[in-house]
Amino acid sequence: RCTNRGPSVLLVRDVSGALFGGFAAEPWRVSPDFFGTFHTFLFQILPKVHFYRPTGTNQNFQWCAANYHTVKNGIGFGGQKRRWGLWVHSDLCSGSSRPCNTFDSPCLSPTAEFEVDTLECWEVSPPTHTNPNGSNGPSGSVLDRFKNEREVLKTG
């Protein structure tokens, strides 16, 4: 459901309780080749918080393959085909993670091959509401928008 939707965050919790994932700067699309931009990155949340940004070694940021017979089907971040920084198989039940020079990341899970406990993908997009001035996003300055909170702080 994240294909062709916009940037997204993929979050994986494996059966060991490790929590990790990646930010896909480009919309996911089925392709037999890597794609994406230098805004893509990997991260760990549990057992420790760490972000792994692109090193410039290569441009193997994102991979998404489905219904191919000659390439591995699933979604991946970084590394090389068959040796991913983060890989989730097309069945969404298992995956792998290995040290990756694309992001200078270690294995994100406690083991190179992991079983997925929970997998979520969130689209990241700007707000779509329109302000009275006709623009998207917050209107006025930050100080104007939080006037009540400032008053509470002054009285405390």
Side-chain angles (χ1 to χ4, degrees):
R1 293 185 186 201
C2 284
T3 50
N4 297 316
R5 301 280 309 232
S8 60
V9 174
L10 180 74
L11 186 64
V12 178
R13 180 174 61 198
D14 69 13
V15 295
S16 76
L19 194 58
F20 51 90
F23 171 74
E26 290 287 312
W28 289 103
R29 64 179 186 273
V30 175
S31 173
D33 298 310
F34 283 97
F35 59 95
T37 71
F38 282 93
H39 297 289
T40 302
F41 60 87
L42 292 176
F43 59 85
Q44 289 176 305
I45 298 176
L46 291 173
K48 63 179 180 172
V49 175
H50 202 281
F51 293 88
Y52 304 98
R53 303 199 184 281
T55 62
T57 301
N58 59 47
Q59 294 185 14
N60 298 350
F61 304 119
Q62 294 172 239
W63 170 274
C64 181
N67 301 317
Y68 287 102
H69 298 290
T70 57
V71 296
K72 199 170 185 178
N73 292 301
I75 53 177
F77 287 87
Q80 302 166 353
K81 297 175 187 174
R82 296 178 175 71
R83 189 161 177 82
W84 309 92
L86 174 57
W87 172 258
V88 178
H89 294 281
S90 58
D91 64 7
L92 306 179
C93 294
S94 61
S96 63
S97 179
R98 298 206 173 14
C100 167
N101 60 359
T102 304
F103 301 105
D104 194 26
S105 58
C107 180
L108 301 176
S109 64
T111 59
E113 303 290 325
F114 60 84
E115 186 178 335
V116 173
D117 176 62
T118 305
L119 178 112
E120 296 189 19
C121 185
W122 294 301
E123 179 184 3
V124 180
S125 60
T128 57
H129 67 280
T130 304
N131 293 315
N133 64 7
S135 68
N136 288 336
S139 62
S141 76
V142 170
L143 298 177
D144 291 337
R145 289 195 320 264
F146 296 105
K147 196 175 285 187
N148 292 341
E149 287 82 354
R150 285 190 7 246
E151 292 302 317
V152 169
L153 291 173
K154 284 180 186 176
T155 61

